[in-house]
């Protein structure tokens, strides 16, 4: 199997896992959205894949979860927001990991990515429902973001130690 095919397969796997992680636990939030565990996979997409494949895996997996769950209105915004989160996680990690280490650079990238998610959904919901009512979802999105950073950081550490069992010559940076 050539390198491009491997990248596509891994990105598709991450997209599927993102979709499942998003759908497996859904806690309704005040403005017709829901809190989920998908952000840990979105961050993993950023940390594990190239910017292009990470954006697509995070965006498609999350948007598909919205579609499959009946949140059609959210799917286009989710695609962009979650894709941007993966890009931010990727680039901040690349920028900082040699200076401050893997763990701290991942946490900082995760924090900036999650802030982007909170602002992105606030703006999107503000256009749909009004900006004052949209304030009510900020705490729920923050809780989702914190969980995503914690679980994502644990998962990337575990995968980094054990991924060679599944993919030869593949190491998460």
């Amino acid at each position: 199997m050539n390198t491009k095919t491997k990248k596509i397969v891994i990105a598709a796997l991450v997209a599927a896992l993102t979709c499942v992680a998003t759908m497996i636990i859904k806690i309704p939030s005040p403005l017709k959205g829901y809190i989920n565990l998908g952000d840990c996979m979105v961050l993993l997409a950023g940390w594990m894949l190239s910017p292009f494949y990470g954006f697509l895996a995070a965006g498609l997996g999350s948007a598909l979860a919205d579609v499959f769950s009946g949140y059609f209105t959210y799917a286009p915004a989710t695609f962009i927001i979650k894709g941007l989160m993966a890009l931010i996680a990727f680039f901040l990690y690349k920028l900082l990991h040699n200076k401050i280490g893997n763990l701290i650079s991942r946490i900082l990238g995760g924090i900036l990515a999650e802030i982007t998610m909170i602002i992105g959904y606030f703006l999107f919901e503000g256009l749909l429902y009004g900006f004052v009512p949209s304030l009510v979802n900020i705490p729920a999105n923050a809780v989702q973001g914190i969980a995503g950073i914690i679980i994502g950081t644990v998962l990337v550490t575990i995968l980094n130690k054990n991924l060679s069992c599944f993919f030869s010559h593949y190491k998460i940076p």
Side-chain angles (χ1 to χ4, degrees):
M1 188 179 330
N2 67 32
T3 304
K4 186 174 181 179
T5 303
K6 284 182 183 178
K7 287 180 182 180
I8 291 170
V9 168
I10 292 170
L13 175 65
V14 172
L17 290 171
T18 301
C19 183
V20 170
T22 302
M23 292 180 68
I24 199 154
I25 295 175
K26 291 187 293 195
I27 302 165
S29 62
L31 277 183
K32 301 181 183 178
Y34 58 96
I35 299 171
N36 62 77
L37 296 177
D39 283 9
C40 64
M41 294 306 300
V42 168
L43 294 174
L44 278 177
W47 294 327
M48 288 178 55
L49 304 171
S50 69
F52 176 75
Y53 289 113
F55 182 96
L56 286 179
L60 283 174
S62 299
L64 284 173
D66 280 349
V67 169
F68 295 152
S69 300
Y71 293 89
F72 302 103
T73 305
Y74 278 76
T78 293
F79 175 78
I80 293 166
I81 293 166
K82 300 299 181 166
L84 287 174
M85 288 175 63
L87 286 178
I88 290 166
F90 175 87
F91 284 115
L92 214 57
Y93 174 77
K94 288 293 184 191
L95 180 69
L96 297 175
H97 82 277
N98 286 329
K99 297 174 185 162
I100 60 174
N102 288 339
L103 178 63
I104 301 300
S105 62
R106 284 194 173 108
I107 291 171
L108 291 176
I111 290 170
L112 187 56
E114 297 297 349
I115 289 171
T116 300
M117 181 266 295
I118 293 166
I119 293 169
Y121 281 117
F122 171 72
L123 293 174
F124 177 70
E125 292 170 342
L127 293 173
L128 288 179
Y129 310 115
F131 289 98
V132 173
S134 297
L135 290 170
V136 74
N137 271 354
I138 290 176
N141 285 333
V143 168
Q144 176 177 305
I146 292 166
I149 293 167
I150 293 168
I151 296 168
T153 303
V154 170
L155 285 176
V156 78
T157 303
I158 292 168
L159 288 174
N160 200 27
K161 291 178 182 174
N162 298 302
L163 201 57
S164 61
C165 299
F166 302 105
F167 305 105
S168 61
H169 308 300
Y170 190 84
K171 181 159 175 64
I172 300 170

